[in-house]
Amino acid sequence: MANVILKPEWHVPEKEITPVKDYFSRRDFVKTMGLGVGLASVGSVQAGAQAKLFPARRNPKYNPKIALTNKQWATGYNNFYEFTTSKEYVRFLVGKFKTNPWQVEVSGLCNKPFKFDAHEMMQKIGLEERVYRFRCVEAWSMIVPWTGYQLNKLLKMAEPKNDAKYVKFYTAMKPKEMPGLARLPSYPWPYTEGLRIDEAMHQLTFMATGIYGEAMPKQNGAPLRLVVPWKYGYKSIKSIVKIEFTNKQPDTLWNSLAPKEYPFESNVNPAVPHPRWSQASERMIGPNPIRVKTVKYNGYSQVAGLYK
Ligand code: MTE
């Protein structure tokens, strides 16, 4: 367990990781991506009733007007440890993962706990598109058009009580559909994450149900996943089945495994290195990756007031 805790695969220093560019050129980029696109589209196609939800109108308020990351990279280079620790292979292993119908429970310290179907809720709340910068703790980043709804629209339906200080999120745990679970038996599954209630209620905090104008591909966290753009990507938990209001800071998977490496707050901050690598810059993924300076709160300075 100690070894696993200290050395999960994503802790490999970036300099030791095969550049994805090289990986794909070695493996015949065209062939690999061709297969990837085939599987990705199987993953992303939802029932016919979904079709009119996508693409959703882009909200001009959340549009940094910078070049988007190549779609095949954003949907082909994934962290989803329930399937595999190999980013390039997640999309090949999600075939058995059933994401429709999908029930989510909202419970804990609230006046109106409820359960909902993920696809019905998309219809009920309505969807918009937001372009966000996304920064992984591993020092890579992307710029992605997410479709979804502001998380607080959902949370308010439950009428959280005054003593609800945190929100805990749980990913589905389906061992028969998620081959990676058995390969990391010492991890405290299911994958969990948490936010302070004011962070969860912030207008930037987004429940994403799609990407690039289509329903969410399974490898990106279908049918609904969090996107918290000023925090490292591990806070953006995928394939959520439960949302719980709590009065104590919740345990989360990465924080339980290695609290010094993955703090609960985990705001993007170039001045605070990860214990084993710098966070001063990041590699923007794509066919021609570029290295750019990392910016505090990933550039979302409007959240600074939350941390005074
Ligand atoms: N959620 C679950 N359930 N399992 C995971 O392994 N990985 C996290 C986050 N959410 C992860 C998860 C990490 S480390 C990152 S960087 C992002 O998902 C990656 O999202 P993407 O694959 O859509 O780029």
Side-chain angles (χ1 to χ4, degrees):
M1 174 93 172
N3 277 345
V4 176
I5 289 174
L6 292 172
K7 292 179 184 164
E9 187 163 322
W10 82 354
H11 295 182
V12 174
E14 210 196 351
K15 61 178 164 36
E16 289 174 20
I17 296 172
T18 307
V20 184
K21 199 167 126 244
D22 300 350
Y23 175 89
F24 280 127
S25 54
R26 275 208 301 269
R27 293 230 162 202
D28 184 351
F29 183 88
V30 175
K31 197 173 152 200
T32 308
M33 289 319 241
L35 181 52
V37 169
L39 290 172
S41 53
V42 171
S44 65
V45 172
Q46 299 289 347
Q50 287 286 304
K52 58 185 177 300
L53 286 169
F54 301 95
R57 199 180 70 87
R58 185 170 295 181
N59 185 337
K61 202 174 154 192
Y62 305 99
N63 188 2
K65 299 209 169 92
I66 35 179
L68 299 178
T69 295
N70 174 295
K71 177 183 166 185
Q72 291 183 340
W73 282 74
T75 59
Y77 183 76
N78 303 103
N79 273 329
F80 205 165
Y81 273 33
E82 287 87 335
F83 294 91
T84 173
T85 55
S86 164
K87 295 179 188 13
E88 295 84 3
Y89 283 101
V90 179
R91 68 189 187 281
F92 300 121
L93 295 173
V94 293
K96 286 191 187 152
F97 185 36
K98 197 165 177 284
T99 59
N100 191 5
W102 187 274
Q103 212 182 46
V104 185
E105 174 188 322
V106 184
S107 57
L109 297 172
C110 58
N111 292 320
K112 293 190 175 166
F114 65 102
K115 290 183 178 161
F116 67 92
D117 175 81
H119 303 92
E120 285 170 17
M121 191 57 81
M122 294 178 210
Q123 301 279 353
K124 189 168 171 184
I125 296 184
L127 301 181
E128 60 175 287
E129 185 177 78
R130 295 184 179 188
V131 178
Y132 279 163
R133 293 180 290 276
F134 186 93
R135 170 62 156 85
C136 179
V137 74
E138 298 163 325
W140 57 264
S141 64
M142 57 184 183
I143 297 156
V144 166
W146 302 100
T147 306
Y149 47 84
Q150 208 162 286
L151 178 68
N152 64 21
K153 292 185 183 173
L154 179 73
L155 298 185
K156 282 176 188 166
M157 289 179 187
E159 296 183 6
K161 293 184 176 170
N162 285 342
D163 53 346
K165 304 289 183 216
Y166 294 90
V167 188
K168 181 170 184 176
F169 302 87
Y170 299 73
T171 292
M173 193 174 158
K174 300 181 174 189
K176 288 189 182 146
E177 300 171 30
M178 298 171 144
L181 292 172
R183 300 185 70 176
L184 295 170
S186 60
Y187 275 34
W189 305 112
Y191 194 105
T192 47
E193 257 309 332
L195 295 171
R196 284 179 0 204
I197 190 111
D198 56 346
E199 296 173 329
M201 289 292 185
H202 194 277
Q203 60 176 18
L204 280 173
T205 307
F206 203 55
M207 186 65 97
T209 63
I211 191 170
Y212 294 91
E214 293 170 7
M216 190 67 78
K218 293 180 185 180
Q219 64 270 29
N220 290 90
L224 76 176
R225 56 91 54 91
L226 215 56
V227 180
V228 193
W230 72 95
K231 291 182 179 285
Y232 290 119
Y234 60 91
K235 301 297 283 186
S236 292
I237 179 172
K238 296 177 169 182
S239 303
I240 295 166
V241 287
K242 185 173 167 188
I243 301 172
E244 187 181 17
F245 297 98
T246 69
N247 56 6
K248 289 198 191 86
Q249 181 178 302
D251 291 337
T252 66
L253 182 133
W254 283 111
N255 188 249
S256 308
L257 283 170
K260 290 200 177 114
E261 308 212 345
Y262 307 108
F264 181 82
E265 187 174 270
S266 58
N267 293 331
V268 175
N269 189 348
V272 179
H274 183 278
R276 287 178 293 111
W277 61 83
S278 165
Q279 295 290 23
S281 69
E282 64 206 51
R283 175 175 48 90
M284 288 182 70
I285 61 168
N288 300 302
I290 52 165
R291 185 153 286 279
V292 296
K293 281 190 176 163
T294 293
V295 181
K296 192 166 186 193
Y297 303 126
N298 203 19
Y300 294 96
S301 53
Q302 62 266 53
V303 300
L306 294 175
Y307 306 105
K308 286 211 168 97

